[in-house]
Amino acid sequence: MITPALTILLHGLAFAMVLYIVSVGLGITMGLMNFANLAHGAFAAAGGYVVVMATRSLGLPFWVALPAAFVTVALAGAVVERLVVRTLYGADELRQVLFSIALLFMAIAGFTLAFGPLQQQPEIPASLSGQVTLGGIDFPAYRAFVIGAGVAILGALWLLIGRTRMGMRIRAAVDNRNMAEAVGVDTRLLFTLTFALGTGIAGLGGGIGADVLSITPTYGQEYLVLFLIVVA
């Protein structure tokens, strides 16, 4: 009875870590920046597609594809923030929701056109394809990697937001943007970097979790409720 229960617990933890890695980026844009970004899952799907294309079409190593997903999606997030999102800071929630939902539907159509409607999975390295032993239980190595990655990202974000000057500036700008600007904080650049960080982490989560949550064009729509629950 104990072994099956622990196995189920570990698989559930791996699934939860994928949701966490993706959702923590939404926590940054929605919780810290007060922007209702319901298109967040589309950025995660984009990261998943970057990893899939990098490993399968370009033949790049998985360990190179993951940072590429983070950088690519973060740059896309910065562009979206510069062009549209910054005009909606301080707007009512309805306008933010309508924009982000429209962006999500556009992303779904774009992914379907570019990659087709079927699910995609990346090429997993041989080092993560086998089994590892955790507490006497054989467990998929890739899911153990997902759990470890989630813990590492949790620690890194805790340090960034709570223990660095950038984190202090982010929290100050969200609490009182005018006062932050008065003491010399460039809030426009700061918000762009913060939005890029949130979307980049979503892309990284989509890539890391692509073997757990298969990448499809409707990824952002299918798991949106779960992402919101995690943030809440």
Side-chain angles (χ1 to χ4, degrees):
M1 292 293 291
I2 295 177
T3 299
L6 289 177
T7 301
I8 293 172
L9 177 63
L10 288 173
H11 280 283
L13 182 59
F15 181 76
M17 279 300 183
V18 174
L19 294 180
Y20 164 74
I21 296 172
V22 175
S23 301
V24 72
L26 180 59
I28 291 174
T29 56
M30 182 178 289
L32 287 179
M33 301 177 66
N34 296 320
F35 180 77
N37 181 22
L38 299 189
H40 188 75
F43 292 101
Y49 279 120
V50 170
V51 173
V52 169
M53 293 300 104
T55 56
R56 292 195 174 273
S57 300
L58 302 179
L60 295 176
F62 181 76
W63 308 111
V64 174
L66 287 181
F70 174 83
V71 172
T72 302
V73 178
L75 290 175
V79 171
V80 171
E81 195 277 342
R82 285 275 185 175
L83 295 179
V84 183
V85 171
R86 67 172 40 187
T87 66
L88 296 173
Y89 292 141
D92 60 89
E93 290 81 0
L94 179 60
R95 291 182 60 192
Q96 295 178 354
V97 167
L98 289 176
F99 162 74
S100 57
I101 287 293
L103 183 61
L104 174 61
F105 288 158
M106 292 170 62
I108 291 173
F111 293 148
T112 303
L113 180 64
F115 304 106
L118 300 180
Q119 68 180 31
Q120 305 280 343
Q121 288 187 313
E123 190 73 32
I124 302 301
S127 59
L128 298 179
S129 299
Q131 303 278 325
V132 296
T133 302
L134 298 176
I137 299 173
D138 290 334
F139 189 68
Y142 189 84
R143 300 207 170 199
F145 159 71
V146 170
I147 295 173
V151 173
I153 291 173
L154 170 63
L157 285 175
W158 177 78
L159 289 174
L160 175 65
I161 302 299
R163 294 292 185 270
T164 66
R165 184 174 294 274
M166 179 179 177
M168 178 181 66
R169 289 178 175 178
I170 292 172
R171 289 182 280 116
V174 169
D175 288 340
N176 193 324
R177 183 170 184 174
N178 292 332
M179 182 59 71
E181 291 175 345
V183 297
V185 176
D186 186 349
T187 57
R188 291 168 64 89
L189 175 61
L190 182 65
F191 275 35
T192 298
L193 293 176
T194 305
F195 194 86
L197 174 65
T199 54
I201 293 174
L204 181 62
I208 290 175
D211 195 57
V212 179
L213 301 181
S214 297
I215 301 300
T216 64
T218 57
Y219 179 100
Q221 181 180 355
E222 290 176 7
Y223 301 111
L224 175 60
V225 173
L226 294 180
F227 298 151
L228 292 174
I229 290 172
V230 173
V231 172

